[in-house]
Amino acid sequence: MKKRVVVALGGNALGNDLEEQWESVKRTVKVIADLVDEGLQVVITHGNGPQVGMLQTAMSEFSDSHSYAKPTPLTVCIAMSQGYIGYDLQNRMSAELEKRGRNIPVTTLITQVRVDKEDPAFLNPTKPIGRFLTEEEAKKKETENIHFVEDSGRGYRQVVASPAPQEIIELDTIKTLLDDHHIVIACGGGAVPVIRTEDGLKGIDAVVDKDYISAFLAKELDADQLIILTAVEQVALNYMKEDQEWISKMSVEEAKAYSKEGHFAPGSMLPKVEAAVQFAESKKGRETLITLLDKAKDGINGKTGTIIYS
Ligand code: ADP
Ligand code: MG
């Protein structure tokens, strides 16, 4: 049986605009093709911060300037971002595999994640999304469900809740595709958050963190390893301080203790370490690797990166 891995791609794997995305993705797919060459079965997840921000801005400027156009829900923007990021990844991944003489189908799946309406995250929306608005613009858009906060003197931004994933709706489809030897791109941008209603699933304004959903997906797929590819080669203690120390391996207990001591920044490394722990402690033998995108192959061969194990 092939070793199954979930590879989570961070912002630097995708670039900040369409041109950058095309260039970044070409580099990213080489990294992933190397993992395939190493004999791994790969599922790809990815973030969408800049992309969903751009879509939101475009769609809200459209509805502001055209009286016939209604506002576009955040969930639709997330689905759009899954589509066009998946398109680039799928297109370049297939080209790279073909170059290597491999005939492997690559499939992007629009993925929804059920969240809990009672999740405490909904009482305290923290994740800023979209463009900066003036106070007047923000007041006009504010509703019972749409909230804005002032962001460090730069203007007002919408904030949404970041609830925990409860259920990946398309999980069985992902499994079927994997059984059929596809490389699957799923849960982009943390997946589209939905809640169950009498009328079926309904989108809800929220953003599920891509690191947490990647750990959740890895658990559900019974993956052997979660690989979080980002902009640093290793996780550090005392990051950017004089006594900075790179970590090659840490147990779940050590990771929890370091987190408590405040070694990992809340908006960036902390969610990765927490996701790493969630996966590693969910079953014996499961481990997470955090490393630089370009070092993925060295990382899986134990030459670099940070391993979190239980
Ligand atoms: P991604 O787009 O991959 O999610 P993030 O920028 O959110 O990337 O998180 C990765 C970043 O976390 C690193 O580039 C680094 O600047 C930062 N970081 C914060 N604390 C640490 C730490 N203790 N060790 C390593 N990197 C850290
Ligand atoms: Mg991040």
Side-chain angles (χ1 to χ4, degrees), residues 9-12 210-211 228-232 234-239 246 263-265 267-270 272:
L9 300 174
N12 67 322
K210 75 115 177 21
D211 297 313
I228 301 180
L229 298 180
T230 184
V232 279
Q234 289 184 302
V235 181
L237 297 181
N238 304 310
Y239 183 63
W246 299 112
H263 286 283
F264 315 124
S268 54
M269 190 47 77
L270 186 62
K272 295 185 202 314

Side-chain angles (χ1 to χ4, degrees), residues 244-263:
Q244 172 175 293
E245 208 182 306
W246 299 112
I247 310 167
S248 302
K249 256 178 173 272
M250 56 180 163
S251 67
V252 160
E253 291 73 27
E254 285 169 331
K256 285 181 182 171
Y258 297 146
S259 299
K260 238 189 219 158
E261 290 166 17
H263 286 283

